């Protein structure tokens, strides 16, 4: 059952999402060769707690850390460790926080130093597919319309769309109805309704869409060992249209990047 949120609840969820956004923005300047994912994880936990919030992943389903840190061929759910990042790596950082009794949850895949043109294209296409999916999140459409839009865009670019892992509704629980696959058929699935809030999160593989899991019970990798990228936003339907509650602008501010990619999905442009 889809749990519709009031405008007041959506504003509280925006605060939760922005804690995550600011955490990712803080981490953006820390992602560099020689840094360990466990160090980044500790920074994130401290930052979230300093902002009157609680790490949303720590202990969730017994996950042991604050961040899911997934480098290179890891798709999602990587466990932070003491292995240093290397020049040319990519690292997906998925972060969650609880504030006002609501969850925020989104992700960004960072290049570590300079990456190859092929990897840079993977990151760009995956991020673009996120906004393609968000544009389809509107009253009158169905879940399948969002997944179809992401899948069509991604596969036309020559990449694999992960099937086993999907986006989701979000609210007082991390995972609520509906599931939001990154593939689908137009006109299929649950109706999109006013006041729903979801996490849309394309997971895109450079090669095959197939995946495998490590024995740690968490880490998901591409089956062929090729890189994977992951981007995620929290999005509400307000006045029939999608509005992004999270933002990558703190990341861009830290990295000196100019972007207006989110502006079409905001009633008011954030000041950061």
């Amino acid at each position: 059952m889809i749990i519709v949120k009031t405008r007041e609840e959506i504003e509280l969820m925006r605060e939760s999402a922005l804690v995550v956004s600011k955490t990712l923005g803080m981490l953006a300047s820390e992602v560099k060769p020689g840094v360990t994912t466990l160090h980044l994880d500790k920074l994130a936990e401290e930052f979230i707690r300093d902002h009157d919030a609680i790490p949303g992943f720590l202990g969730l389903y017994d996950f042991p850390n604050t961040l899911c840190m997934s480098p290179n061929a890891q798709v999602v759910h990587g466990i932070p460790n003491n292995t240093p990042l290397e020049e040319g790596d990519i690292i997906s950082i998925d972060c969650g926080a609880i504030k006002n009794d609501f969850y925020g949850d989104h992700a960004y895949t960072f290049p570590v130093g300079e990456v190859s043109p092929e990897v840079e294209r993977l990151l760009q296409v995956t991020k673009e597919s996120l906004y393609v999916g968000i544009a389809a999140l509107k009253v009158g459409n169905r879940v399948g319309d969002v997944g179809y839009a992401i899948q069509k865009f991604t596969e036309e670019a020559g990449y694999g769309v992960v099937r086993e892992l999907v986006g989701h509704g979000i609210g007082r629980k991390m995972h609520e109805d509906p599931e939001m696959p990154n593939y689908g058929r137009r006109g299929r699935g649950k109706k999109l309704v006013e006041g729903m809030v979801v996490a849309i999160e394309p997971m895109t593989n450079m090669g095959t869409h197939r995946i495998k899991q490590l024995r740690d019970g968490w880490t998901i990798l591409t089956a062929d060992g090729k890189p994977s990228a992951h981007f995620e936003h929290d999005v509400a339907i307000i006045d029939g249209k999608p509005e992004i509650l999270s933002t990558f602008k703190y990341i861009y501010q830290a990295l000196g990047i100019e972007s207006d990619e989110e502006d079409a999905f905001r009633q008011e442009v954030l000041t950061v």
Side-chain angles (χ1 to χ4, degrees):
M1 180 182 71
I2 295 174
I3 301 174
V4 172
K5 278 72 177 180
T6 65
R7 292 292 183 95
E8 292 77 13
E9 288 174 325
I10 289 173
E11 290 309 308
L12 292 175
M13 292 194 69
R14 193 191 306 274
E15 292 183 26
S16 305
L18 289 178
V19 171
V20 179
S21 300
K22 291 174 182 178
T23 304
L24 293 174
M26 176 274 296
L27 292 171
S29 58
E30 301 290 336
V31 174
K32 50 195 171 186
V35 172
T36 69
T37 52
L38 193 58
H39 173 69
L40 297 175
D41 185 77
K42 291 177 180 177
L43 291 179
E45 180 177 357
E46 292 174 1
F47 188 90
I48 290 169
R49 295 190 189 279
D50 286 345
H51 284 74
D52 299 319
I54 300 169
F57 293 171
L58 184 62
L60 183 68
Y61 312 126
D62 294 325
F63 188 74
N65 292 89
T66 293
L67 301 174
C68 292
M69 306 283 280
S70 308
N72 302 321
Q74 292 185 17
V75 181
V76 287
H77 301 164
I79 298 174
N81 58 45
N82 282 312
T83 302
L85 296 174
E86 297 183 2
E87 181 82 17
D89 285 345
I90 56 174
I91 179 75
S92 166
I93 303 182
D94 193 356
C95 180
I98 307 167
K99 188 178 178 69
N100 306 315
D101 294 323
F102 285 99
Y103 279 90
D105 168 31
H106 51 284
Y108 192 92
T109 301
F110 294 87
V112 181
E114 296 292 327
V115 299
S116 70
E118 293 80 9
V119 170
E120 183 63 40
R121 180 173 181 267
L122 171 69
L123 299 184
Q124 186 63 33
V125 168
T126 306
K127 183 151 64 72
E128 288 177 3
S129 77
L130 171 61
Y131 295 106
V132 167
I134 290 171
L137 189 83
K138 54 189 176 183
V139 171
N141 279 356
R142 292 178 177 267
V143 166
D145 293 300
V146 178
Y148 173 84
I150 295 171
Q151 181 180 15
K152 183 175 185 293
F153 182 86
T154 303
E155 291 183 346
E156 286 181 351
Y159 298 123
V161 176
V162 173
R163 306 294 201 272
E164 294 87 347
L165 303 158
V166 299
H168 51 89
I170 187 168
R172 294 184 187 276
K173 294 182 179 180
M174 173 66 76
H175 297 109
E176 296 182 354
D177 283 339
E179 290 190 343
M180 299 294 299
N182 299 305
Y183 61 94
R185 298 170 120 186
R186 288 180 291 186
R188 299 291 183 90
K190 293 185 177 181
K191 290 182 179 180
L192 305 180
V193 298
E194 180 76 13
M196 69 186 296
V197 182
V198 299
I200 298 178
E201 51 178 320
M203 289 157 273
T204 304
N205 298 344
M206 185 176 284
T208 179
H209 67 83
R210 300 186 184 282
I211 58 173
K212 59 185 178 180
Q213 187 174 42
L214 289 184
R215 291 182 180 178
D216 63 18
W218 284 104
T219 308
I220 304 295
L221 301 94
T222 59
D224 58 9
K226 293 183 179 180
S228 182
H230 176 213
F231 291 86
E232 178 180 16
H233 269 312
D234 296 340
V235 191
I237 296 182
I238 300 176
D239 296 330
K241 301 178 294 185
E243 180 165 345
I244 300 174
L245 304 182
S246 50
T247 182
F248 293 152
K249 290 193 174 184
Y250 296 105
I251 295 172
Y252 296 156
Q253 185 179 54
L255 299 180
I257 296 171
E258 293 187 5
S259 172
D260 61 359
E261 65 195 17
E262 298 173 10
D263 292 353
F265 304 107
R266 293 195 187 284
Q267 293 183 356
E268 296 181 3
V269 178
L270 290 176
T271 301
V272 297

